[in-house]
Structure formats: structure tokens, C-alpha cells
């Protein structure tokens, strides 16, 4: 059984769902992980993927679990598995994503929060702030939620930021275009 072929099959199915493919899968798996162990067994993996219409047989699910079993428990490590599902990105893409994250993470603690954003962006010009419908805090929080996983805890890690941009990256043909887009969007 070829685990790499299985992962390729899953990756292709994720990418066919657009930019939210891997991010959506990450959200879904974190929801499946009911005991918050950050791992899934073969049965949970197989049932979860079937719910999404992604079909693996028992042997494939067990092979995937074995590959990302970090501690010999027979379960797959969720973060490692999701990292493997992300479409491979060049060093140039990884570097510009890390640079954008570092710009946002003003405190340097590896997590972006509304407080970090406050120092980088202003939400005062947002139409809903101007109309009085939202506060500037709400604008920044909603902005942050775009990159956050399903928990929407107001904290975005580099892994969550990478999950988001792996989907975007898959739809941009060249490194030059991707780097230019990121540089412009984040004023790097």
C-alpha cells in the first residue's frame, strides 16, 4: 500500500475544493478530535473523511495513521498530517508567508492576536465602523478569524496562517506572482 499515493489522492481532493481545502480539512479534523488529543485513530480518520466524501479503505486509513504516528500509539498526529497534506511550497513562498506572519506578530510570541494587529492595522476606515455598526475591535477580530482554525479563539498560529496560504498558493502559478501578491498585500 502506497501511503504517498493516498496522501496525493487526499491532497488532490482537498485542492479541488478551492482555497479553503486544506484549511477546511484542518477545521474539520480538529472538530473530529473530540478528546482534544490532537490525534485521530484509523476509524476516526476513515469516518471523518467519508463524511467529507473523501473515501479511504481501512488499509489506507491504517497506513496513513502509521505514517504520522509520532508516539507509537496507533493514532496520527493531526498537525503533522495536515502539514503533509498542504501542497508543497517553494522556499520563496514559505519565506514570504513567514515574513507576513512575523510582521503581524508584533509581540514575537508566535501567535497573532487582535492586540498584535492593532499595532499594524487600523479598522477605523472600515464602512461598518464608520456607520457605528461595528467597533474597531470587531473589525480586527473578524479579520483575524479569516486565518483562525475552527476554534476562532482570537489567536492565529503560524501553522494556521500557513494552512490558509497553502490554499491560496495552490491557485497561483509562479513563485514570482505569489511573492508579489504577498508583498503587496502585507506591505512587506
Amino acid at each position: 500500500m502506497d501511503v504517498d499515493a493516498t496522501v496525493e489522492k487526499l491532497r488532490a481532493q482537498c485542492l479541488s475544493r478551492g482555497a479553503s481545502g486544506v484549511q477546511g480539512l484542518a477545521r474539520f479534523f480538529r472538530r473530529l478530535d473530540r478528546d482534544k488529543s490532537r490525534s485521530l485513530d484509523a476509524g476516526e480518520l476513515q469516518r471523518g473523511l467519508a463524511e467529507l466524501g473523501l473515501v479511504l479503505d481501512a488499509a489506507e486509513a491504517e497506513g496513513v495513521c502509521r505514517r504520522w504516528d509520532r508516539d507509537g500509539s496507533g493514532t496520527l498526529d493531526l498537525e503533522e498530517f495536515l502539514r503533509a497534506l498542504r501542497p508543497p511550497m517553494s522556499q520563496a513562498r514559505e519565506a514570504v508567508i513567514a515574513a507576513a506572519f512575523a510582521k503581524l506578530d508584533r509581540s514575537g510570541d508566535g501567535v497573532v492576536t487582535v492586540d498584535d494587529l492593532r499595532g499594524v492595522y487600523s479598522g477605523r476606515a472600515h464602512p461598518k465602523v464608520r456607520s457605528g455598526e461595528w467597533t474597531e475591535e470587531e473589525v480586527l477580530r473578524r479579520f483575524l478569524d479569516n486565518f483562525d482554525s475552527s476554534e476562532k479563539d482570537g489567536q492565529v498560529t503560524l501553522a494556521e496562517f500557513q494552512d490558509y496560504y497553502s490554499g491560496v498558493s495552490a491557485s497561483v502559478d509562479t513563485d514570482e506572482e505569489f511573492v508579489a501578491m504577498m508583498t503587496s498585500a502585507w506591505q512587506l
Side-chain angles (χ1 to χ4, degrees), residues 145-160:
D145 284 350
N146 288 308
F147 306 101
D148 208 349
S149 66
S150 59
E151 284 89 58
K152 302 273 185 252
D153 58 3
Q155 299 186 337
V156 174
T157 63
L158 178 58
E160 289 170 328

Side-chain angles (χ1 to χ4, degrees), residues 52-172:
L52 295 174
L54 306 174
V55 181
L56 286 189
D57 63 35
E60 287 174 318
E62 282 166 26
V64 168
C65 281
R66 262 194 314 279
R67 167 70 70 84
W68 285 281
D69 179 359
R70 293 292 173 237
D71 58 6
S73 64
T75 60
L76 71 78
D77 178 290
L78 217 43
E79 296 308 315
E80 292 293 326
F81 175 62
L82 292 169
R83 199 165 295 126
L85 269 185
R86 272 189 214 131
M89 283 190 279
S90 68
Q91 283 186 307
R93 291 181 190 219
E94 296 263 358
V96 77
I97 291 168
F101 185 83
K103 179 178 182 177
L104 292 176
D105 181 18
R106 297 195 30 116
S107 64
D109 63 358
V111 177
V112 175
T113 63
V114 168
D115 286 337
D116 287 313
L117 285 182
R118 218 177 261 117
V120 186
Y121 292 103
S122 165
R124 285 188 298 274
H126 191 285
K128 292 200 175 190
V129 172
R130 293 177 100 139
S131 72
E133 198 176 329
W134 290 355
T135 63
E136 189 174 0
E137 175 94 8
E138 283 174 289
V139 168
L140 294 175
R141 179 66 191 259
R142 286 171 188 250
F143 176 73
L144 203 57
D145 284 350
N146 288 308
F147 306 101
D148 208 349
S149 66
S150 59
E151 284 89 58
K152 302 273 185 252
D153 58 3
Q155 299 186 337
V156 174
T157 63
L158 178 58
E160 289 170 328
F161 202 67
Q162 287 170 326
D163 285 343
Y164 176 85
Y165 274 109
S166 71
V168 175
S169 173
S171 66
V172 178

